[in-house]
Amino acid sequence: QKEVEQNSGPLSVPEGAIASLNCTYSDRGSQSFFWYRQYSGKSPELIMSIYSNGDKEDGRFTAQLNKASQYVSLLIRDSQPSDSATYLCAVNIKSSTSGGGADGLTFGKGTHLIIQP
Amino acid sequence: EAGVTQFPSHSVIEKGQTVTLRCDPISGHDNLYWYRRVMGKEIKFLLHFVKESKQDESGMPNNRFLAERTGGTYSTLKVQPAELEDSGVYFCASSQDLTGYGYTFGSGTRLTVV
């Protein structure tokens, strides 16, 4: 069973601090990792993707990947109230019938993040 | 550029009825995906189209669910007959390149079966 685990929260962080979101995955063969942000009642929005070990920075967001530990994290610096949302970790799975091309994603349940003004 | 469009946004039907959900992907996106989120659970992959062909339908729950994408444009997902456990939010996503990275999700259809 391929799984992605996240702490559901809520995770409460004061405005201006660093929010740290964590995710573990069970399929050691996973190759691609994504963080989505979802506001209540809205669609998931891709904010970061990472494919190799180490850190990847984009503005206030940093994704970290450790394939040996099967662990991926998202750091949000200078947290703003507008960052309050559910953050979904997603992992690329390989289709047993796909000869290549696009694949489906396995999602975690998400972490509810609250930034306190 | 128009995003991924889904309709209806909400649907309430009785157990045993039929419902058809529609997804219009971003123009030119060959890859179209259906996902579902049941209350309290994670978003789960249902199936994947490349143009009009079903690339992977391993996530479809059972044969009460039928997805089509005639002509490789919009897609429909029919549930017949609907059961209570089919309630949830059905998301559609599309992507341009064959790697599947960088999905754009639609806003979803909230289906309630009573």
Side-chain angles (χ1 to χ4, degrees):
Chain A
Q1 179 75 21
K2 299 181 176 65
E3 290 185 348
V4 175
E5 300 288 342
Q6 295 180 255
N7 188 322
S8 61
L11 174 65
S12 186
V13 174
E15 182 176 358
I18 296 175
S20 178
L21 304 161
N22 304 313
C23 171
T24 58
Y25 59 95
S26 61
D27 185 359
R28 190 169 287 278
S30 300
Q31 297 294 319
S32 311
F33 308 86
F34 306 89
W35 282 99
Y36 285 82
R37 177 177 62 198
Q38 186 176 25
Y39 294 111
S40 181
K42 302 294 185 182
S43 59
E45 173 193 10
L46 179 68
I47 54 172
M48 288 289 287
S49 60
I50 187 167
Y51 314 120
S52 55
N53 280 328
D55 295 359
K56 179 182 177 183
E57 186 175 321
D58 183 1
R60 295 187 297 112
F61 298 98
T62 299
Q64 299 174 317
L65 175 61
N66 184 325
K67 289 187 177 181
S69 300
Q70 295 177 241
Y71 177 93
V72 59
S73 65
L74 178 71
L75 301 178
I76 306 174
R77 289 181 299 282
D78 188 24
S79 298
Q80 303 297 311
S82 59
D83 295 326
S84 298
T86 296
Y87 288 79
L88 304 168
C89 175
V91 174
N92 178 260
I93 58 173
K94 289 297 183 182
S95 162
S96 61
T97 59
S98 172
D103 306 314
L105 296 178
T106 300
F107 282 86
K109 289 186 179 181
T111 298
H112 183 44
L113 175 65
I114 299 172
I115 305 301
Q116 296 176 318
Chain B
E1 175 182 78
V4 177
T5 305
Q6 291 187 248
F7 53 94
S9 57
H10 293 82
S11 180
V12 181
I13 62 171
E14 293 184 350
K15 175 182 174 181
Q17 289 185 323
T18 297
V19 62
T20 300
L21 314 180
R22 172 166 169 153
C23 169
D24 286 70
I26 292 174
S27 177
H29 281 195
D30 288 338
N31 298 283
L32 186 149
Y33 308 81
W34 284 98
Y35 286 82
R36 175 175 76 170
R37 185 166 197 166
V38 172
M39 179 82 73
K41 302 280 190 177
E42 65 274 17
I43 296 173
K44 288 220 166 182
F45 168 76
L46 296 179
L47 88 159
H48 165 218
F49 284 99
V50 177
K51 296 184 180 179
E52 67 275 9
S53 299
K54 291 177 186 175
Q55 186 76 10
D56 179 6
E57 52 184 330
S58 61
M60 295 287 264
N62 50 61
N63 59 10
R64 295 185 293 103
F65 289 75
L66 175 64
E68 295 179 322
R69 192 183 182 194
T70 306
T73 54
Y74 70 91
S75 175
T76 58
L77 180 64
K78 180 190 290 187
V79 185
Q80 179 182 29
E83 298 289 344
L84 299 179
E85 63 265 25
D86 300 332
S87 296
V89 181
Y90 290 77
F91 289 105
C92 175
S94 71
S95 68
Q96 182 174 27
D97 57 75
L98 291 178
T99 62
Y101 305 143
Y103 287 8
T104 300
F105 276 88
S107 56
T109 294
R110 180 174 295 279
L111 174 65
T112 303
V113 182
V114 297

